[in-house]
């Protein structure tokens, strides 16, 4: 996927075609980067598994790679044909491609859910890191699940079908208009209407960000005695709760047909309450923190845990 992303960047540079209002190679680039991040993080997470769960994870991982392969081949084929991949019903071939993609996404979600269940059975020594990984996995699954909101036909599509007409697409990520309008650079999120891709994006990437924050806090612990395991666990919990709330907030905003760059007063108030709650949670967590640790055991515990399970080839599920 890293190599594929480089190819997509080259495509952006030399191919000026537009598909559904966006540069032709923008979607392949976004998917390539996202899948690469998914793969690196899960390779690390699955290295904690041993015995029978590890063997089960190996089989599931093969299925995940196959699901991603189907999706990326479908996206690439449609880009080369100069048409959209998602929701496309323009021809029998387009409909078949989209159906194959939909099947691969369902398989990917179920397999990831299975891996998540296996991971919850693993005991990770550092409590803050353990909480971060579990929160990241759960919110990541929520973010993945939000993609299914885009598969529902819009009111306009249903009305066209009821009137005996034909539709070129079934499902959409834009709420309040057809896909393909003005959007943010590269991301493509609508600047005029609601966009369901935002909640999907925010939720999915909790899987990378929350564990990374836990590792950074552990790295600061030896020089910040007040960053005890209890404080770090509380901070991670506050971050995870805020992240989950933010995922719901941007999805709610999109479902109301409101652009991410044009929030109304109600949305701004919701963001303000979220910010206040997060700041209050962080302050309370620090104030009520447990006894300070001066011997560096916090970072030592995390280092031993990560060093024992680095994301190297020998630790990948076979």
């Amino acid at each position: 996927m890293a190599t594929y992303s480089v190819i997509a960047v080259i495509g952006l540079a030399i191919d000026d075609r537009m598909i559904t209002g966006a540069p032709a190679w923008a979607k392949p680039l976004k998917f390539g980067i996202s899948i690469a991040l998914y793969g690196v993080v899960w390779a690390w997470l699955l290295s904690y598994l041993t015995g029978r769960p590890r063997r089960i994870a190996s089989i599931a991982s093969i299925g995940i790679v196959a699901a991603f392969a189907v999706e990326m081949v479908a996206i690439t084929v449609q880009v080369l044909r100069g048409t959209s991949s998602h929701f496309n019903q323009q021809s029998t071939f387009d409909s078949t491609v989209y159906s194959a993609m939909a099947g691969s996404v369902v398989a990917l979600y179920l397999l990831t859910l299975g891996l998540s269940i296996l991971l919850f059975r693993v005991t990770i020594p550092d409590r803050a890191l353990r909480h971060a990984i579990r929160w990241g996995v759960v919110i990541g699954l929520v973010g993945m699940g939000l993609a299914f909101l885009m598969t529902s036909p819009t009111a306009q599509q249903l009305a066209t079908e009821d009137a005996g007409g034909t539709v070129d697409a079934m499902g959409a990520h834009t709420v309040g208009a057809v896909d393909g309008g003005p959007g943010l650079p590269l991301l493509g999120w609508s600047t005029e209407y609601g966009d369901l891709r935002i909640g999907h994006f925010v939720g999915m990437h909790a899987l990378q960000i929350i564990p990374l924050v836990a590792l950074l806090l552990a790295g600061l612990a030896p020089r910040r005695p007040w960053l005890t395991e209890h404080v770090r666990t509380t901070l991670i919990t506050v971050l995870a709760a805020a992240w989950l709330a933010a995922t719901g907030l941007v999805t709610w905003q999109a479902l109301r047909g409101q652009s991410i760059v044009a929030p109304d007063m109600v949305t701004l108030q919701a963001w303000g309450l979220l910010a206040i709650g997060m700041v209050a949670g962080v302050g309370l967590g620090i104030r009520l923190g447990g006894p300070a640790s001066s011997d560096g055991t916090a970072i030592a515990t995390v280092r031993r845990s990560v060093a024992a399970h680095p994301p190297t080839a020998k630790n990948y599920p076979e």
Side-chain angles (χ1 to χ4, degrees), residues 24-39:
W25 290 94
K27 179 179 289 186
L29 176 60
K30 290 186 290 185
F31 273 70
I33 293 173
S34 182
I35 294 172
L37 291 173
Y38 174 101

Side-chain angles (χ1 to χ4, degrees), residues 193-234:
Y193 298 95
D195 200 315
L196 294 170
R197 293 175 296 181
I198 303 173
H200 177 54
F201 175 91
V202 173
M204 280 198 311
H205 292 293
L207 179 64
Q208 291 89 33
I209 301 300
I210 297 178
L212 177 61
V213 171
L215 293 175
L216 291 175
L217 290 175
L220 293 172
R223 298 184 297 277
R224 303 288 189 276
W226 53 271
L227 275 176
T228 63
E229 184 181 68
H230 175 77
V231 169
R232 289 184 290 110
T233 302
T234 301

Side-chain angles (χ1 to χ4, degrees), residues 149-150 152 154 172-179 190 192-197 250-259:
L149 291 175
M150 307 179 211
S152 300
T154 66
H173 52 73
T174 305
V175 179
V178 297
D179 291 344
S190 177
E192 296 182 343
Y193 298 95
D195 200 315
L196 294 170
R197 293 175 296 181
V250 295
T251 303
W252 170 65
Q253 184 178 357
L255 288 170
R256 292 161 59 216
Q258 188 178 112
S259 171

Side-chain angles (χ1 to χ4, degrees), residues 280-303:
V282 169
L284 188 63
I286 294 174
R287 185 177 180 82
L288 300 180
S293 173
S294 59
D295 59 0
T297 54
I299 185 61
T301 300
V302 177
R303 282 178 175 168

Side-chain angles (χ1 to χ4, degrees), residues 128-193:
L129 180 60
R130 182 169 70 248
H131 277 60
I133 289 174
R134 290 177 176 178
W135 272 112
V137 166
V138 169
I139 301 175
L141 284 169
V142 171
M144 291 178 68
L146 289 175
F148 292 105
L149 291 175
M150 307 179 211
T151 63
S152 300
T154 66
Q156 183 178 358
Q157 291 166 351
L158 290 175
T160 301
E161 276 203 331
D162 290 343
T166 58
V167 293
D168 291 336
M170 189 59 70
H173 52 73
T174 305
V175 179
V178 297
D179 291 344
L184 294 174
L186 187 59
L187 292 172
W189 300 340
S190 177
T191 55
E192 296 182 343
Y193 298 95

